[in-house]
Amino acid sequence: VQLQASGGGSVQAGGSLRLSCTASGRDFSDHALGWFRQASGKAREFVAAITWSGGSTYYSDSAKDRFTISRDNGKEMVYLQMNGLKPEDTATYYCAAGKLALRYPDEYDYWGQGTQVTVSS
């Protein structure tokens, strides 16, 4: 079972990035999928989540109105489109999957390895 995140990089403030996460090893179509991030020296924090059907999405206050989470169950992918990036968005971003999961890391059973996002001012 593996979640593989990609798409991170270095951008200037105001720029955009699209993170992708591919799931393999099992069927995650019945799992909620989420994105979390962890900045250096800080706790892992919730960014966004999407239900198994894709019918509902949830965002942190910092991500709301700037980030969009989506999923493609046929391709076993989840995406995080990030627009209007700010230096405070700099962190390692992780994708995660969980059957009954939403905003808390403990709710997720599977985690990807993380992809680094660096936003310069």
Side-chain angles (χ1 to χ4, degrees):
V1 176
Q2 188 174 12
L3 296 172
Q4 183 80 26
S6 62
S10 297
V11 297
Q12 290 192 325
S16 297
L17 282 173
R18 188 194 195 205
L19 305 184
S20 300
C21 178
T22 183
S24 61
R26 65 152 295 149
D27 181 7
F28 285 104
S29 62
D30 61 348
H31 281 55
L33 296 172
W35 287 96
F36 288 76
R37 68 186 183 187
Q38 188 166 17
S40 180
K42 295 188 177 181
R44 190 167 297 191
E45 65 172 354
F46 170 75
V47 176
I50 187 167
T51 55
W52 68 272
S53 66
S56 296
T57 55
Y58 304 86
Y59 297 93
S60 66
D61 288 342
S62 62
K64 192 178 179 181
D65 299 328
R66 297 188 299 129
F67 295 0
T68 302
I69 188 171
S70 61
R71 67 188 292 169
D72 185 334
N73 285 341
K75 294 182 179 179
E76 299 179 316
M77 297 286 292
V78 60
Y79 307 98
L80 186 68
Q81 178 66 44
M82 304 188 295
N83 299 327
L85 283 162
K86 304 175 181 180
E88 51 264 43
D89 294 318
T90 295
T92 301
Y93 284 70
Y94 299 87
C95 58
K99 270 238 172 176
L100 297 173
L102 193 58
R103 296 178 180 268
Y104 300 100
D106 289 349
E107 296 172 333
Y108 289 82
D109 303 307
Y110 305 99
W111 289 85
Q113 88 292 354
T115 185
Q116 178 67 35
V117 172
T118 302
V119 185
S120 58
S121 58

